[in-house]
Amino acid sequence: MNERKPRVLVTREVFDETLDYLRLHCEVIDNQKDQPYAPEALAQALAGCDGLMCALTDRVDAALLARAPRLKAVANIAVGYNNIDVPACTARGVMATNTPGVLDDSTADLAWALMLGTARRITEVERRIRAGEWTGWRLKQWLGVDVHHATLGIVGMGRIGQAIARRALGFEMKVLYHNRKRIAPELESKCNAAYVTLDELLAQSDFVVLQVPYSPETHHLIGAAQLKKMKPSAILINSTRGGVVDDSALVAALKQGTIRGAGLDVYENEPKLNPEFLGLDNVVLAPHIGSSTEATRKAMAMLAARNLVAALKGEVPPNLVNPDVRR
Ligand code: DGY
């Protein structure tokens, strides 16, 4: 007798190769039109499924899990998994996985693009050229600040934070970092980075780059009080998760000159962003594209698919975030 293939729901458009791989092992409900599921539609679509491949735009919580009695595994196409209620998954015996590692370098590159773009006012001057405002060379024209030899402060020194730090070697920067735990001395010397308190980092850095995961503990880690601790000449980069920064406080700080500028890839309540950002020249805005290169997004989707298939075969998936689920 033929065994039934597990049924999986893929909530967003993925690459053909990802679907081909999933279809070797599973019956797949895809969404190549990429219409995001509203919560009720997601619950209905997931009802008879054994597996879910989802993205940060999908909320996987206890209410959804209660309506998916057959569900065994949830594979997020992201390294961050704050969209998934992991304890609720564990309580229901559902494995949850993420996609660490494959996006570190691309995400670090984007943080650097925001640093350089903000320091040298790239999007502002491009807008001015397009508006016909460039009438010729002037000595004091649209002056930026140097990245080379400046002090870089990285908040969150996991794999991506370290990749950002390693890139600073070529720019001969002084690198400070703050992390829940100090990293191993050999990693500190590879990154040429010194551990400091958050307050020391805010006070001394010319560029503050946030790379902590979003959680109740990191909600509004950077608000009005922390922005005041930064140098007025400093630039803040958030390429991790909206909610780590209090966006209203940041708008006020950018308007009042509390800090010089900001480079942002993520926002509270994205894709809606605080409309006041749009009127500010001292902020560079990107639409959550940190990991968005073709190679990296393909690798993320394939890793999520492999995690899902492994879990549905009863194996331990490579990137299980709730190992307690198996006890
Ligand atoms: C991640 O992997 O957490 C990214 O933000 C997804 O683009």
Side-chain angles (χ1 to χ4, degrees):
M1 199 178 74
N2 276 348
E3 254 190 47
R4 182 184 75 84
K5 278 187 180 176
R7 183 178 300 158
V8 301
L9 175 69
V10 181
T11 61
R12 302 300 303 261
E13 182 182 15
V14 291
F15 300 96
D16 289 346
E17 66 198 47
T18 323
L19 285 182
D20 290 346
Y21 172 76
L22 281 174
R23 286 199 175 107
L24 288 176
H25 305 276
C26 311
E27 181 192 323
V28 180
I29 305 171
D30 67 38
N31 180 13
Q32 293 301 81
K33 290 203 174 121
D34 209 28
Q35 305 283 352
Y37 280 97
E40 177 56 30
L42 181 58
Q44 286 180 20
L46 194 62
C49 292
D50 307 280
L52 172 66
M53 190 158 138
C54 60
L56 50 88
T57 49
D58 306 302
R59 175 97 200 110
V60 179
D61 55 15
L64 180 71
L65 295 170
R67 294 180 63 185
R70 282 170 50 164
L71 196 68
K72 293 181 192 60
V74 175
N76 213 30
I77 313 174
V79 64
Y81 49 87
N82 54 297
N83 57 309
I84 299 176
D85 183 338
V86 175
C89 286
T90 309
R92 290 200 71 98
V94 173
M95 291 190 237
T97 66
N98 68 339
T99 62
V102 292
L103 45 64
D104 299 348
D105 284 316
S106 301
T107 308
D109 286 353
L110 195 274
W112 267 87
L114 290 173
M115 270 170 62
L116 290 164
T118 311
R120 302 304 297 271
R121 306 168 65 170
I122 292 296
T123 53
E124 177 198 349
V125 293
E126 204 227 5
R127 278 194 300 276
R128 293 188 186 281
I129 288 187
R130 288 180 191 270
E133 288 179 35
W134 188 34
T135 51
W137 187 94
R138 283 190 296 118
L139 188 67
K140 289 167 69 179
Q141 195 164 51
W142 296 316
L143 301 172
V145 291
D146 285 324
V147 177
H148 65 84
H149 297 96
T151 298
L152 168 63
I154 302 172
V155 184
M157 199 61 153
R159 286 179 315 268
I160 300 172
Q162 290 172 40
I164 293 168
R166 287 194 304 272
R167 283 155 175 72
L169 293 170
F171 284 74
E172 299 183 54
M173 297 177 89
K174 175 175 174 185
V175 181
L176 307 174
Y177 80 95
H178 181 72
N179 202 40
R180 262 178 316 176
K181 277 197 297 196
R182 211 171 153 161
I183 61 171
E186 56 275 20
L187 292 177
E188 280 187 353
S189 63
K190 219 171 164 182
C191 297
N192 192 27
Y195 179 83
V196 290
T197 65
L198 181 58
D199 279 356
E200 286 166 342
L201 183 147
L202 295 172
Q204 293 174 33
S205 300
D206 300 304
F207 295 87
V208 173
V209 179
L210 304 174
Q211 209 49 68
V212 288
Y214 180 68
S215 69
E217 291 73 48
T218 60
H219 177 72
H220 286 187
L221 180 70
I222 303 296
Q226 292 71 28
L227 289 160
K228 278 202 195 94
K229 291 178 181 164
M230 290 172 65
K231 296 182 187 178
S233 55
I235 286 174
L236 178 72
I237 305 297
N238 186 10
S239 50
T240 185
R241 277 288 182 276
V244 173
V245 175
D246 177 343
D247 283 352
S248 308
L250 178 58
V251 165
L254 290 168
K255 280 175 146 177
Q256 290 156 13
T258 311
I259 63 170
R260 178 183 173 92
L264 306 174
D265 188 41
V266 289
Y267 310 87
E268 291 189 275
N269 310 315
E270 61 186 56
K272 289 191 194 122
L273 59 161
N274 187 318
E276 296 211 64
F277 281 133
L278 302 178
L280 294 174
D281 272 335
N282 55 348
V283 60
V284 172
L285 305 171
H288 203 145
I289 53 163
S291 58
S292 191
T293 68
E294 190 174 337
T296 293
R297 286 282 166 91
K298 280 186 173 168
M300 289 165 68
M302 194 53 95
L303 187 54
R306 289 192 194 285
N307 277 316
L308 190 56
V309 169
L312 295 176
K313 281 185 176 165
E315 297 165 8
V316 182
N319 309 113
L320 186 62
V321 299
N322 56 344
D324 285 354
V325 76
R326 297 180 53 85
R327 297 221 176 99

